[in-house]
Amino acid sequence: MVSGTDYGKVTSDIVRQLSEIVGEKNVLTGDDRMNYNKDEAPRAKTYLPDVVVKPGDTASVCRILKLAEDNHIPVTPRGAGTGLSGGAVPILGGISLSSERMKRILEVDEANFSATTEPGVTLVELCAAVEAKGLYYPLYPGEKLATIGGNVSTNAGGMRAVKYGVTRNFVLGLEAVLASGEVVRTGGKYFKCSTAYDLTQLLIGSEGTLAFVTEITVRLITPPGVREILFIPFRSLSDAIGCVPAILKAGILPVGLEFMEKDVIDMYEKYSGKKIPMHDYAAYLMVIIESENEDAFINISERIEDVATKNGAVDIFVAGSEAARANLLEAREKFHAVVTQNGLLDIADVVVPRSKVAEYVQKAKQIGRENGISIIAHGHAGDGNVHLEIMGDAATIDQKKEKETLIKLFEAGVGMGGTISGEHGIGYTKKGYLPLASSPEKLQLMRRIKLAFDPHNIMNPGKVV
Amino acid sequence: MVSGTDYGKVTSDIVRQLSEIVGEKNVLTGDDRMNYNKDEAPRAKTYLPDVVVKPGDTASVCRILKLAEDNHIPVTPRGAGTGLSGGAVPILGGISLSSERMKRILEVDEANFSATTEPGVTLVELCAAVEAKGLYYPLYPGEKLATIGGNVSTNAGGMRAVKYGVTRNFVLGLEAVLASGEVVRTGGKYFKCSTAYDLTQLLIGSEGTLAFVTEITVRLITPPGVREILFIPFRSLSDAIGCVPAILKAGILPVGLEFMEKDVIDMYEKYSGKKIPMHDYAAYLMVIIESENEDAFINISERIEDVATKNGAVDIFVAGSEAARANLLEAREKFHAVVTQNGLLDIADVVVPRSKVAEYVQKAKQIGRENGISIIAHGHAGDGNVHLEIMGDAATIDQKKEKETLIKLFEAGVGMGGTISGEHGIGYTKKGYLPLASSPEKLQLMRRIKLAFDPHNIMNPGKVV
């Protein structure tokens, strides 16, 4: 964003006013602010907010934002801090506005298949509440401790996107507070709407740069009868990825279709001390299936086996037990922790058209080799979202080379008709790369939209656009 | 929109420049402009554009808009003119910008399950092209001759929304031209994206007030093996609608769930000369089903029969043949034509949370009775979208009373947590009612967003916001 580096200071009088709004114990100005100085972006610098404020309701959020607006103080919205692009990091100081006290699940509406929550509710809490009523929130961005507010901010995707899509597809309505302190309500318990601009969708994925979301209504569905995982080894990555369109073209719609190579499996086994079945092959597809009942599952798995065998699969492993499923899912979910221990320097999550995944992974590895940088690629074969871990020694890495490599990875993805982030978001760590995916005209348009919401640029400044 | 009634005139010099851009035969200034002076909104006034312009490509659209912008001439985008809210009607004269020559289907991508078209392609043309490649575009807004550009502009919904959602859920990317003549490309052949603001979603449903859409990429799926319709009579409307949550809660997901009352059936039979099965009951559910194969259909229909019988259904009719299905679907689709012949004064398509449909329909009829105005209600029970036809004699109707009735219908819907249009859009015929569904703050925000796209308010002025 262009405007305003001349932000106001968080004076003792501002702190006093914030304390009046939310109570003294919900305003942090000491060392405890350290818990708000970073997120999970690898190797990112820390930035201490001048003050952490924890509102408990929408009215407090309005007053806080009005105060910040009047005094031109930067406000950085924060959920659980599990983001990977620095979106929740207060890079200009000011106020870290935490949703941690806004944790009420306001309603699970069984007749309308919807749930309404405050933004600080975690994914695991939401899922438990709706399952208790016999309903299901099927999205699974992987990080259970992330907040729903954070999921909305980044349009979180995850491993069940092939069938269910992403957060955007399950949010029905929002309440959000603008920088001015004005409250805007969007959408409702309906998904058919042709009543002026869809502000719900515009707010989703805007990473707190347009407004602070105070209430979220999501769509629910009925739960599947059977969940199962197939683990399918192949002799090469291109065999594995080449099998994906064949599965989908056969009219089979798994919940998720993940790919991984042997290096990922090896690293996980070493990290966890656990063994992954059939761990000696070059590449794998993990097919996550949800079906109505056991018969339907058998039908689907037989058809997948048929298609996979015709397309180079060496074998098929059906998890078959909760423990085996958990082991396989963990290998996928814990991978971020695994690479973090093994010298993760940076992470990207380029998305390309599904048919380009194999070509893109090959290209990414070639880019790595040409630049002397080790790259691990794995991710969502069914939806084209490729996670790229840039590995190395932080002390000795040639940072210019590293940055050039990242640019080449993004350019290659965009060149194949993709874009630079499928689910992690832009935050500030990827902001410099956004022009690789957006024309100058489009960037200017987005900046004008930003100013329509937030004319003085106090909402998460320095992020996204 | 507030600004600018001082629009520029379409001079002979402007016409000459337009002719240079698109060729003389694609610029209309004579009586043939009459075909562009209205849409299908009932009883709406006609407005003649000063000039109709038919670009054949994006570059021409850029030049036309730049010329309009430089001369501050209103531009009204137009597809097939099948809208119901006057969105395509040039109420301030100026340029009617028709997509009728932009009819190329640019690609059906079998590997990525996507199709890319120009905006003037009709729904029936798109469906034929993708079916020829063994794929399926499942949305069915009812009007087959509508253009895809028009579907995008109004976020068209229709009868298959219960399972598939609305246009918004199937558009992956757009190319659009701003008032400045700048081209913006959004999205692509992927649905997972967390790369700054989602302009695709913002453009969808904006009814041509933000930009002129020149290219559309939609998501496709594999076709169902079996399509079938169940027609279920009930002794009362509340029985019929009360059955809907029970069907959905049983984990059954039909493609569509329509409700209608006897008055609708009677009127259709008289109009068409055809008979509807079991036409003597008070109310009906039409359950549209798509399933993978015959076995799956039998399973679903047995379960629906079981649930429906327990919830007041008198009988169940399975269409069973293409002719019977067509007859039932026609009764639903042709209803707009039927009521138009029978004294349709106005139409609204309020959406309420699904659980409120029965209560809302009762309330709507009560409002009609109290105001001495006849109202027919029918529509989408599965998604809460209720179509309200206001019937009467245009010559004798008390117009003040009619408007008051409409306001009460909208207020009742909004009061139940709904909004004023589920799929028809706001255009100019419903623009005056938008404040019933949007707070002043939200309206102002939408107007600022409009100005971020179109600072001189030339794009479809007088519409939506």
Side-chain angles (χ1 to χ4, degrees):
Chain A
M1 204 67 199
V2 269
S3 75
T5 46
D6 54 334
Y7 285 101
K9 293 269 170 266
V10 178
T11 61
S12 57
D13 184 56
I14 300 273
V15 171
R16 186 189 53 72
Q17 291 185 64
L18 290 168
S19 297
E20 274 175 23
I21 297 169
V22 297
E24 211 166 309
K25 71 174 192 292
N26 296 312
V27 176
L28 312 182
T29 53
D31 284 352
D32 36 13
R33 290 174 300 153
M34 301 273 279
N35 296 325
Y36 301 79
N37 68 4
K38 61 177 191 315
D39 66 1
E40 294 185 10
R43 248 188 354 147
K45 276 200 295 186
T46 59
Y47 293 90
L48 205 61
D50 295 309
V51 59
V52 176
V53 188
K54 306 177 190 177
D57 55 25
T58 302
S60 301
V61 173
C62 295
R63 293 175 65 195
I64 295 162
L65 289 183
K66 181 79 171 60
L67 182 66
E69 169 86 342
D70 289 347
N71 293 279
H72 203 213
I73 293 168
V75 175
T76 304
R78 186 179 182 92
T82 57
L84 291 167
S85 306
V89 181
I91 58 173
L92 297 177
I95 295 171
S96 173
L97 190 57
S98 168
S99 68
E100 69 199 88
R101 287 179 61 229
M102 300 184 75
K103 285 191 74 68
R104 287 182 302 163
I105 294 173
L106 300 166
E107 185 187 35
V108 178
D109 181 339
E110 294 170 79
N112 290 304
F113 285 24
S114 71
T116 301
T117 79
E118 291 184 335
V121 171
T122 63
L123 189 60
V124 68
E125 290 163 347
L126 173 68
C127 291
V130 307
E131 279 165 29
K133 296 273 183 93
L135 289 165
Y136 183 43
Y137 181 69
L139 301 187
Y140 189 63
E143 176 53 68
K144 294 172 196 169
L145 300 179
T147 63
I148 301 301
N151 280 192
V152 168
S153 290
T154 55
N155 185 29
M159 276 194 277
R160 296 183 188 152
V162 178
K163 179 163 185 175
Y164 295 117
V166 296
T167 302
R168 180 176 303 294
N169 307 117
F170 272 79
V171 175
L172 296 173
L174 297 171
E175 178 190 79
V177 183
L178 305 184
S180 61
E182 292 170 335
V183 177
V184 172
R185 293 192 71 92
T186 72
K189 292 179 188 172
Y190 47 83
F191 56 87
K192 227 175 186 179
C193 180
S194 186
T195 305
Y197 308 148
D198 194 324
L199 302 181
T200 307
Q201 293 296 330
L202 183 54
L203 287 168
I204 295 169
S206 67
E207 304 187 42
T209 62
L210 301 181
F212 186 90
V213 171
T214 48
E215 193 185 292
I216 299 142
T217 297
V218 295
R219 182 164 70 88
L220 305 173
I221 60 174
T222 52
V226 173
R227 295 159 210 246
E228 196 44 276
I229 297 176
L230 307 182
F231 194 62
I232 312 179
F234 292 83
R235 290 203 177 80
S236 73
L237 180 65
S238 60
D239 275 5
I241 293 175
C243 187
V244 171
I247 292 173
L248 296 168
K249 200 68 201 269
I252 302 163
L253 189 61
V255 166
L257 264 166
E258 302 287 306
F259 76 92
M260 51 193 75
E261 290 185 276
K262 193 169 185 308
D263 52 357
V264 171
I265 302 289
D266 290 348
M267 227 180 256
Y268 172 73
E269 288 187 334
K270 202 178 287 176
Y271 166 90
S272 68
K274 294 179 184 171
K275 286 288 165 213
I276 292 294
M278 306 186 292
H279 56 180
D280 282 332
Y281 291 96
Y284 302 84
L285 281 185
M286 186 188 283
V287 188
I288 307 170
I289 295 168
E290 289 182 359
S291 62
E292 208 177 300
N293 51 45
E294 194 64 36
D295 284 353
F297 165 68
I298 290 168
N299 176 283
I300 290 174
S301 65
E302 282 174 359
R303 286 163 62 204
I304 291 177
E305 183 163 4
D306 183 48
V307 173
T309 308
K310 282 180 185 146
N311 285 273
V314 180
D315 203 343
I316 294 214
F317 174 78
V318 183
S321 74
E322 200 50 50
R325 280 191 288 277
N327 187 29
L328 283 171
L329 277 181
E330 268 199 0
R332 174 66 189 79
E333 282 172 36
K334 291 276 170 71
F335 196 66
H336 184 65
V338 175
V339 286
T340 301
Q341 282 199 352
N342 280 274
L344 177 65
L345 295 177
D346 204 347
I347 187 168
D349 78 311
V350 169
V351 60
V352 293
R354 196 168 61 205
S355 68
K356 300 281 189 186
V357 170
E359 185 184 339
Y360 182 71
V361 171
Q362 278 175 353
K363 178 76 184 170
K365 297 199 162 191
Q366 184 196 329
I367 291 169
R369 279 193 305 274
E370 286 169 3
N371 290 274
I373 291 203
S374 168
I375 292 173
I376 298 175
H378 66 107
H380 311 296
D383 55 43
N385 191 200
V386 180
H387 289 210
L388 299 153
E389 276 98 6
I390 300 190
M391 309 296 289
D393 183 344
T396 60
I397 187 83
D398 177 344
Q399 295 204 5
K400 188 161 162 278
K401 201 68 141 176
E402 185 194 347
K403 193 175 170 187
E404 280 170 14
T405 302
L406 205 53
I407 289 173
K408 284 177 187 156
L409 291 173
F410 288 139
E411 284 176 342
V414 172
M416 290 180 189
T419 193
I420 67 174
S421 175
E423 55 189 13
H424 295 171
I426 301 300
Y428 78 95
T429 66
K430 300 297 183 288
K431 184 173 185 288
Y433 306 103
L434 188 58
L436 301 174
S438 292
S439 68
E441 293 80 10
K442 187 171 162 186
L443 275 176
Q444 287 303 331
L445 174 60
M446 291 196 283
R447 285 171 185 151
R448 293 195 299 271
I449 293 169
K450 157 79 170 166
L451 293 177
F453 280 81
D454 175 25
H456 302 109
N457 193 23
I458 66 159
M459 294 303 298
N460 218 356
K463 310 288 171 64
V464 187
V465 296
Chain B
M1 203 70 199
V2 269
S3 74
T5 46
D6 54 333
Y7 285 101
K9 294 266 168 270
V10 178
T11 61
S12 58
D13 185 56
I14 300 270
V15 171
R16 186 189 52 74
Q17 290 184 62
L18 290 168
S19 298
E20 273 176 24
I21 297 169
V22 297
E24 212 166 310
K25 71 173 192 290
N26 296 312
V27 176
L28 312 182
T29 53
D31 285 351
D32 38 11
R33 290 173 299 151
M34 301 273 279
N35 295 325
Y36 302 79
N37 68 4
K38 62 178 191 318
D39 65 2
E40 295 184 11
R43 253 192 342 151
K45 277 200 294 187
T46 58
Y47 294 89
L48 204 61
D50 295 309
V51 59
V52 177
V53 188
K54 307 178 190 177
D57 56 25
T58 302
S60 302
V61 174
C62 295
R63 293 175 65 195
I64 295 162
L65 290 182
K66 180 78 171 60
L67 182 65
E69 169 86 340
D70 288 347
N71 293 279
H72 203 212
I73 294 168
V75 176
T76 303
R78 186 179 182 92
T82 57
L84 291 168
S85 306
V89 181
I91 58 173
L92 297 177
I95 296 170
S96 173
L97 190 58
S98 168
S99 68
E100 68 200 87
R101 287 179 61 230
M102 299 182 75
K103 287 191 73 67
R104 286 182 303 163
I105 294 173
L106 301 166
E107 183 188 35
V108 178
D109 181 339
E110 295 169 80
N112 290 303
F113 286 22
S114 70
T116 300
T117 80
E118 290 184 334
V121 171
T122 63
L123 190 59
V124 69
E125 290 163 347
L126 174 68
C127 290
V130 306
E131 278 165 28
K133 295 275 182 92
L135 289 165
Y136 183 42
Y137 181 70
L139 300 187
Y140 189 62
E143 176 52 70
K144 293 172 194 166
L145 299 179
T147 62
I148 301 303
N151 280 193
V152 168
S153 290
T154 55
N155 186 28
M159 276 194 278
R160 296 183 188 151
V162 178
K163 178 162 184 176
Y164 295 117
V166 296
T167 302
R168 181 176 301 296
N169 306 117
F170 273 79
V171 176
L172 296 173
L174 297 171
E175 178 190 79
V177 183
L178 305 185
S180 61
E182 291 171 334
V183 177
V184 172
R185 293 192 71 92
T186 72
K189 292 179 191 172
Y190 48 81
F191 56 87
K192 227 175 187 179
C193 180
S194 188
T195 305
Y197 309 149
D198 194 324
L199 302 181
T200 307
Q201 293 295 330
L202 183 55
L203 288 168
I204 295 169
S206 67
E207 302 187 43
T209 62
L210 301 181
F212 186 90
V213 171
T214 46
E215 192 186 295
I216 299 143
T217 298
V218 296
R219 181 164 71 87
L220 305 172
I221 60 174
T222 54
V226 173
R227 295 161 211 242
E228 196 43 277
I229 297 176
L230 306 183
F231 194 62
I232 312 179
F234 292 83
R235 290 203 178 78
S236 73
L237 180 65
S238 60
D239 274 7
I241 293 175
C243 187
V244 171
I247 291 173
L248 296 168
K249 199 69 200 266
I252 302 163
L253 190 61
V255 166
L257 262 168
E258 301 287 306
F259 77 93
M260 51 193 76
E261 288 185 277
K262 192 167 185 309
D263 53 356
V264 171
I265 302 290
D266 290 347
M267 228 180 254
Y268 172 72
E269 288 187 335
K270 202 178 290 175
Y271 166 89
S272 67
K274 295 180 184 172
K275 287 288 163 212
I276 290 295
M278 305 187 292
H279 56 179
D280 282 332
Y281 291 97
Y284 302 84
L285 282 185
M286 187 189 283
V287 188
I288 307 169
I289 295 168
E290 288 182 1
S291 62
E292 209 177 298
N293 51 45
E294 194 64 37
D295 284 353
F297 165 69
I298 290 169
N299 176 283
I300 289 175
S301 65
E302 283 176 357
R303 286 163 63 205
I304 291 177
E305 183 163 5
D306 182 48
V307 173
T309 307
K310 281 180 186 146
N311 285 272
V314 180
D315 202 342
I316 295 213
F317 174 78
V318 183
S321 73
E322 199 51 47
R325 279 192 288 278
N327 188 29
L328 283 172
L329 276 181
E330 268 198 1
R332 176 66 189 81
E333 282 172 35
K334 291 277 170 70
F335 197 65
H336 183 64
V338 175
V339 287
T340 302
Q341 281 199 351
N342 280 275
L344 178 65
L345 296 177
D346 204 347
I347 187 168
D349 79 310
V350 169
V351 60
V352 292
R354 198 168 60 206
S355 68
K356 300 281 188 186
V357 169
E359 185 184 338
Y360 182 70
V361 171
Q362 277 175 354
K363 178 78 185 167
K365 296 201 162 189
Q366 184 195 328
I367 290 168
R369 278 193 306 274
E370 285 169 3
N371 290 274
I373 292 204
S374 169
I375 293 173
I376 297 175
H378 66 107
H380 312 295
D383 55 43
N385 191 199
V386 181
H387 290 210
L388 299 153
E389 276 97 7
I390 299 189
M391 309 296 290
D393 182 344
T396 60
I397 187 84
D398 177 344
Q399 295 204 7
K400 188 160 161 281
K401 201 69 141 176
E402 186 195 346
K403 192 175 171 188
E404 281 169 14
T405 302
L406 206 52
I407 289 173
K408 284 177 188 156
L409 291 173
F410 288 138
E411 284 176 341
V414 172
M416 290 181 190
T419 193
I420 66 174
S421 176
E423 55 190 13
H424 294 171
I426 300 301
Y428 78 95
T429 66
K430 300 298 184 288
K431 183 173 184 288
Y433 306 103
L434 189 57
L436 301 174
S438 292
S439 68
E441 293 80 10
K442 188 171 161 185
L443 275 176
Q444 286 303 329
L445 173 60
M446 290 196 283
R447 286 172 185 151
R448 293 194 300 271
I449 293 169
K450 157 80 170 165
L451 293 177
F453 281 81
D454 175 25
H456 302 109
N457 193 23
I458 66 159
M459 294 303 299
N460 219 354
K463 311 287 172 63
V464 188
V465 296

